[in-house]
C-alpha cells in the first residue's frame, strides 16, 4: 500500500513536468533526473531508520540547491531561489546534521531564507501597488506576531521563539501570495505547493516546541499525534525542497 502511495506521488511530481513542460526543452533530462533522485532520497528518508535519516534528509536540500545552480542566470527569481535554498542548507547544518534544536543562529538563517522567498512572491505581483501591499502585510504581521509572542510567553520568552514566530508568519504569507497567483503561473503553483509542504513540516516542529514550553506530558493528545509513528517532518520536508528547487526551471511560465 505504501509503495503504491509513493508511486502516485512520483507520478504527480514528475509526470506533470514531462507531459506539459519538458517535451520541447533539451534540458528536460536535468529536471527528470533531479526529481527522480529527490524521489528516491525521499523514499529512503521514510523507510530508513537511525542516524542515516538526517543525512539523507539533508541531501535532499543540498541537491535541490545544486540543481538551481544549473540554471544560474541573471533572472532575479532564480537568484532569490538559490539564496533561499543556500540559507536552508546552512541552517540545516545546525538543525538536521548537528541536531541543535532551537538554535537561534539557525533560525536567523532560516529567516534570511524567508526573505529570499518574500522576494520571489514579490516578483509574482502584477503591479507595484500589489507588491507594496505584500511588503506592508509582511512587516505589519511580523511586528504584531513578535509582540504577541513576548506578551504570551512573558518570562519564558527567548529570542529563538520570537524569531521563529516571525519566520512562521512570513512562510504563511509566502503561501497566501503564491496561491493568489495560482492561475496563469506554473511557477506560482510550484511555489505554493512547496511553501505549503514546507509549512506542514514546520508546524509539526513548532507544535513539538509547544510541548516543551507548556510541559505537556506523553499522555497529552498533542504528543500522541506528533509521535504516533509517522514523522511529519520526513513526510513533508524533502518534497518541499524538491518542489522549490524545481520551480526555477526555465520552461515554466511566470518567470522574471
Amino acid at each position: 500500500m505504501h509503495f503504491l502511495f509513493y508511486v502516485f506521488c512520483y507520478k504527480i511530481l514528475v509526470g506533470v513536468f514531462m507531459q506539459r513542460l519538458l517535451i520541447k526543452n533539451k534540458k528536460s533530462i536535468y529536471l527528470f533526473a533531479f526529481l527522480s533522485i529527490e524521489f528516491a532520497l525521499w523514499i529512503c528518508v521514510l523507510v530508513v531508520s537511525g542516524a542515516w535519516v538526517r543525512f539523507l534528509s539533508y541531501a535532499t536540500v543540498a541537491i535541490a540547491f545544486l540543481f538551481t545552480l544549473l540554471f544560474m542566470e541573471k533572472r532575479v527569481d532564480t537568484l532569490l531561489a538559490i539564496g533561499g535554498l543556500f540559507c536552508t542548507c546552512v541552517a540545516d547544518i545546525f538543525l538536521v546534521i548537528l541536531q541543535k534544536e532551537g538554535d537561534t543562529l539557525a533560525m536567523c538563517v532560516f529567516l534570511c531564507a524567508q526573505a529570499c522567498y518574500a522576494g520571489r512572491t514579490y516578483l509574482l505581483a502584477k503591479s507595484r501597488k500589489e507588491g507594496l501591499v505584500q511588503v506592508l502585510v509582511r512587516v505589519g504581521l511580523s511586528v504584531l506576531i513578535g509582540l504577541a509572542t513576548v506578551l504570551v510567553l512573558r518570562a519564558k520568552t527567548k529570542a529563538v521563539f520570537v524569531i521563529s514566530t516571525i519566520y512562521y508568519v512570513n512562510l504563511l504569507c509566502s503561501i497566501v501570495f503564491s496561491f493568489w497567483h495560482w492561475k496563469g503561473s506554473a511557477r506560482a503553483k510550484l511555489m505554493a505547493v512547496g511553501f505549503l509542504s514546507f509549512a506542514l513540516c514546520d508546524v509539526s516542529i513548532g507544535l513539538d516546541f509547544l510541548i516543551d514550553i507548556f510541559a505537556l506530558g506523553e499522555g497529552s493528545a498533542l504528543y500522541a499525534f506528533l509521535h504516533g509513528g509517522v514523522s511529519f517532518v520526513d513526510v513533508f520536508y524533502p518534497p518541499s525542497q524538491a518542489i522549490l528547487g524545481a520551480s526555477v526551471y526555465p520552461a515554466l511560465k511566470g518567470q522574471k
Side-chain angles (χ1 to χ4, degrees):
M1 189 67 178
H2 286 173
F3 176 75
L4 292 177
F5 171 72
Y6 299 147
V7 171
F8 175 72
C9 292
Y10 179 77
K11 182 174 178 58
I12 291 177
L13 195 61
V14 178
V16 171
F17 284 102
M18 296 308 295
Q19 292 174 12
R20 297 184 180 182
L21 302 172
L22 308 181
I23 297 175
K24 298 180 180 180
N25 197 298
K26 294 181 179 180
K27 292 185 177 181
S28 61
I29 188 63
Y30 296 144
L31 183 55
F32 179 75
F34 164 67
L35 292 177
S36 298
I37 292 170
E38 288 283 5
F39 178 79
L41 286 172
W42 181 45
I43 299 301
C44 290
V45 168
L46 292 175
V47 300
V48 173
S49 58
W52 278 103
V53 173
R54 66 176 185 267
F55 293 105
L56 290 169
S57 182
Y58 186 80
T60 63
V61 185
I63 291 174
F65 168 67
L66 294 175
F67 174 75
T68 60
L69 294 180
L70 292 175
F71 306 102
M72 183 181 288
E73 301 171 357
K74 293 183 179 179
R75 198 173 68 239
V76 178
D77 178 76
T78 301
L79 296 177
L80 288 171
I82 291 172
L85 285 166
F86 174 75
C87 290
T88 303
C89 285
V90 173
D92 276 351
I93 291 176
F94 297 96
L95 298 181
V96 177
I97 300 298
L98 301 179
Q99 293 190 318
K100 293 184 177 182
E101 295 184 2
D103 188 89
T104 304
L105 177 59
M107 288 310 303
C108 286
V109 179
F110 262 131
L111 196 56
C112 290
Q114 277 308 308
C116 292
Y117 293 139
R120 296 195 72 190
T121 61
Y122 178 87
L123 292 176
L124 294 175
K126 295 180 179 180
S127 66
R128 289 187 178 181
K129 182 179 179 180
E130 182 185 343
L132 179 60
V133 169
Q134 285 192 25
V135 173
L136 293 176
V137 168
R138 285 182 182 276
V139 173
L141 289 178
S142 295
V143 172
L144 289 175
I145 197 67
L147 292 174
T149 302
V150 174
L151 292 175
V152 171
L153 297 181
R154 296 181 182 276
K156 295 182 179 179
T157 302
K158 295 181 180 179
V160 67
F161 297 152
V162 178
I163 295 169
S164 297
T165 53
I166 293 175
Y167 162 83
Y168 286 131
V169 79
N170 275 277
L171 179 55
L172 178 61
C173 287
S174 294
I175 295 171
V176 173
F177 296 146
S178 297
F179 271 105
W180 186 262
H181 292 279
W182 181 274
K183 291 184 178 181
S185 174
R187 192 172 306 282
K189 288 182 175 68
L190 286 181
M191 288 168 59
V193 175
F195 290 142
L196 180 60
S197 182
F198 208 158
L200 290 172
C201 163
D202 285 342
V203 165
S204 66
I205 295 174
L207 291 176
D208 240 345
F209 273 119
L210 290 181
I211 291 176
D212 294 334
I213 293 172
F214 297 105
L216 300 178
E218 294 185 7
S220 66
L222 183 58
Y223 186 93
F225 175 72
L226 293 176
H227 301 274
V230 177
S231 172
F232 293 103
V233 174
D234 293 341
V235 170
F236 294 112
Y237 191 56
S240 72
Q241 302 310 301
I243 294 169
L244 289 174
S247 68
V248 306
Y249 190 70
L252 294 172
K253 295 179 180 178
Q255 60 185 6
K256 293 184 180 180

